[in-house]
Amino acid sequence: MSRSFPAIAALLALIPAAGHASEARGKSTPPAAKGCVEVSGTALTGMAGGPAYSAAELKCGTKLSLVLQRQTGRNGNLPAWSTIDEVAIVKPSPRHELLQPSYCSSSLFPQDMVFALGRMVEQPDGSYRSESVVKAWRVDIKRERLAAIPVDGLLCALDPAD
């Protein structure tokens, strides 16, 4: 039970962000490719006065990918989204997960939203910290792309109160 608790706690903590993102994207917008399922998603902060952005983790059969999307219009009351960048995700173990920007930061790119591929491990104080981070990407809104970054100086954390 203690091994699965960190994953469950991290997933439960992401529910508000993922729920908000699904609402922002609109449920009528299909995933980027036929047969793909959205595993998680998050609304991203764009440039003031610019278009809205979101990111989603998609599962297409056995393949996983992280996609960056830009709002390109409206479909009735729901926003319409277009995929503008995509990176493949290869998990080195089933315990690795895509860690969201609301919990991750990079000392090399302190102003950017960062996704990481790693594991969250419970600490003695009840908090969770990233471990075994193997890849990371920052959201480059100006260039509208996901840019790979070094994992040095990267930390994903979840406090007990979160």
Side-chain angles (χ1 to χ4, degrees), residues 11-46:
L11 288 173
L12 288 174
L14 294 176
I15 288 173
H20 174 70
S22 294
E23 187 177 292
R25 273 193 297 287
K27 303 221 185 259
S28 68
T29 305
K34 189 174 182 176
C36 294
V37 176
E38 184 176 319
V39 176
S40 67
T42 188
L44 303 172
T45 307

Side-chain angles (χ1 to χ4, degrees), residues 68-88:
L68 179 62
Q69 301 170 322
R70 175 182 357 106
Q71 184 178 351
T72 55
R74 306 230 19 113
N75 182 5
N77 289 335
L78 299 174
W81 298 88
S82 295
T83 297
I84 54 177
D85 198 13
E86 182 173 355
V87 294

